[in-house]
Amino acid sequence: MEIPPKSPDGSEKSPQSKELLTSNTASTLCISSRSESVWTSTSRSKWDIYHKPVIVVSVGAAVFLFGIVITSLSCIQIKNKNVYKMCGPAFLSLGLMLLVCGLVWIPIIRKKQKQRQKSQFLQSLKSFFFNR
């Protein structure tokens, strides 16, 4: 690894580091938005907290039901019976996977919320006792 040359007073940074500091990439925007939500104590609605797992569960249930319909169509004498036999179980498994992932995601979010509440409580206690 090469160390970039510094000016004698040490205040001037290399052009690469200036680029990194001033660039607004998606990752830095994502990080800054997350850090803002940690430091602000605004309460969020239930929909704001649970909308992603609810959407995943809903899509998973819809795909699962679609898989049931496609699989049941393979039992009926239809022209493209082999296509239904291949696609039906695929939709069943994909829908079940999304459904289970969404259902597991909800308790994880609840646990994170409880930990966040506990840490905010402990931070307030710490600031109360140490700021005297």
Side-chain angles (χ1 to χ4, degrees):
M1 290 177 50
E2 294 181 15
I3 300 173
K6 293 183 180 178
S7 64
D9 60 34
S11 63
E12 186 175 327
K13 296 180 181 177
S14 68
Q16 293 172 344
S17 64
K18 284 183 182 178
E19 271 183 32
L20 291 174
L21 289 175
T22 58
S23 69
N24 286 332
T25 60
S27 62
T28 57
L29 291 174
C30 182
I31 290 170
S32 67
S33 66
R34 286 183 183 173
S35 63
E36 288 172 7
S37 67
V38 170
W39 295 110
T40 58
S41 61
T42 58
S43 62
R44 296 167 44 189
S45 69
K46 296 280 187 187
W47 176 248
D48 289 338
I49 296 169
Y50 294 112
H51 75 279
K52 289 179 184 176
V54 166
I55 290 171
V56 170
V57 167
S58 302
V59 169
V63 172
F64 184 72
L65 290 175
F66 183 69
I68 290 173
V69 169
I70 296 280
T71 305
S72 63
L73 283 177
S74 69
C75 298
I76 303 171
Q77 294 294 332
I78 297 181
K79 204 185 315 183
N80 298 327
K81 191 173 182 179
N82 289 333
V83 175
Y84 291 126
K85 279 189 176 181
M86 285 190 321
C87 292
F91 282 113
L92 275 170
S93 61
L94 182 65
L96 188 62
M97 182 183 68
L98 286 173
L99 188 66
V100 169
C101 286
L103 290 174
V104 168
W105 196 355
I106 292 173
I108 291 172
I109 290 177
R110 285 185 186 157
K111 188 174 181 181
K112 275 181 145 180
Q113 290 293 89
K114 286 181 182 178
Q115 287 177 348
R116 186 173 292 152
Q117 288 173 353
K118 287 179 184 177
S119 69
Q120 287 175 353
F121 177 71
L122 292 175
Q123 287 285 346
S124 63
L125 277 178
K126 193 183 295 184
S127 66
F128 176 75
F129 286 115
F130 290 123
N131 288 338
R132 284 185 166 194

